Amino acid sequence: MARSLAGRAGLLLAAALAAALALAALLLPLDPSAMDLGRAWAGPSAAHPLGCDGLGRDVAARLIAGTGTSFAIAGLALGLAVGLGFALGGVAGWIGGRVDAAVLRLADLLHGFPELSLAIVASALLGPGTDAVVLTLAFAAWPSHVRWCRALTLSNRTAEHVAAAAALGAGPLHTVLHHFLPAIAGPVAIRAALSIGPVMVAEATLSGLGLGIQEPSVSLGTLIRDGLADLRGAPHLIAATTVTVAAIALSINLLAESLREGLDPRGTPFRWPRPFRRRP
């Protein structure tokens, strides 16, 4: 990853974003829920670098808290989606037959709908709240992971290294643990890393529509929803949040792309142009 241009750019952007949030948390130890109506829609100042929202709450403090909440929700939702997809897709691809057909038909049925539309419908049925958002995002993301894990299982089940292990007398459990799972773990991890950005954007969309995180909890989506209340008079609120969401999604995508390049045995590592190469 360090030899990849995308990896270096992603690490630099992620480090800059994390340093900015950490520095703001140290210099501005403010309560994200503390209200002061006298500062409603106040612009940026020395005491409040990003200004205040309609209830006089500090935007910088809420942005720090909301970023942590959105990361936690995205991590839990992806953990559920990847775990379910890995289990169902692996079993379907390894066993085959009617089990494979049943799992594939269900995944195809749900995969025919856009993930965001599926998340909106599921959120409307489950209702708002943190637990509901996690389940909603996991439900919307798992069909694609099922198909991905099934395809990896089908391609590696009859691979030469798996067949060689079986021919040398390795048992089924040893073959699966030491020859099959290591071959598909890398691609599954890369797919999960690439999904973090879209899941965070989906959470922000649901919360912005009022279907996600509710007060007094705060996330990036609730900050966008609050900023839309006075977009013309106080654009600093929604501008800071959207820039943060875009920077997080971009850095994660760059890191995931560099991870894909690093774990792909068929790829060629990135090399700097000749004037920037080190001499041997």
Side-chain angles (χ1 to χ4, degrees):
M1 292 177 63
R3 299 177 63 182
S4 170
L5 180 61
R8 294 185 181 185
L11 287 173
L12 181 61
L13 183 58
L17 184 62
L21 293 176
L23 185 62
L26 291 176
L27 299 179
L28 300 170
L30 300 175
D31 184 4
S33 301
M35 295 184 293
D36 186 358
L37 296 179
R39 302 196 309 263
W41 302 119
S45 61
H48 307 282
L50 298 179
C52 301
D53 63 2
L55 297 178
R57 296 172 295 191
D58 185 77
V59 175
R62 290 178 63 79
L63 185 62
I64 296 171
T67 302
T69 302
S70 296
F71 259 114
I73 291 175
L76 290 174
L78 270 180
L80 290 175
V82 173
L84 185 60
F86 188 82
L88 291 180
V91 169
W94 190 268
I95 296 178
R98 294 183 178 180
V99 175
D100 183 24
V103 173
L104 187 59
R105 293 293 82 76
L106 179 59
D108 288 342
L109 177 63
L110 297 177
H111 193 69
F113 299 93
E115 291 188 5
L116 184 57
S117 300
L118 194 62
I120 292 175
V121 173
S123 180
L125 294 176
L126 295 176
T130 304
D131 296 338
V133 170
V134 172
L135 293 177
T136 295
L137 295 176
F139 176 73
W142 78 269
S144 61
H145 291 282
V146 167
R147 293 171 58 88
W148 176 247
C149 293
R150 175 184 175 273
L152 290 175
T153 302
L154 290 176
S155 62
N156 287 275
R157 183 182 62 180
T158 57
E160 293 182 356
H161 63 280
V162 176
L168 291 173
L173 183 60
H174 178 86
T175 302
V176 170
L177 293 179
H178 296 278
H179 300 279
F180 174 71
L181 290 181
I184 68 174
V188 171
I190 295 170
R191 180 64 178 269
L194 285 172
S195 301
I196 295 178
V199 169
M200 292 190 66
V201 174
E203 183 277 324
T205 303
L206 291 178
S207 298
L209 294 175
L211 300 174
I213 303 300
Q214 303 295 314
E215 297 291 347
S217 301
V218 58
S219 70
L220 296 175
T222 59
L223 292 177
I224 294 176
R225 182 186 62 197
D226 295 341
L228 290 175
D230 192 8
L231 183 59
R232 293 176 177 262
H236 56 275
L237 176 59
I238 194 171
T241 308
T242 51
V243 169
T244 302
V245 173
I248 291 174
L250 179 60
S251 62
I252 291 175
N253 287 337
L254 289 175
L255 290 175
E257 177 63 23
S258 65
L259 182 63
R260 184 195 64 79
E261 295 177 359
L263 294 179
D264 187 3
R266 296 170 298 179
T268 55
F270 171 81
R271 295 183 180 275
W272 289 104
R274 186 172 297 277
F276 299 97
R277 291 183 187 174
R278 295 182 179 178
R279 293 184 178 180

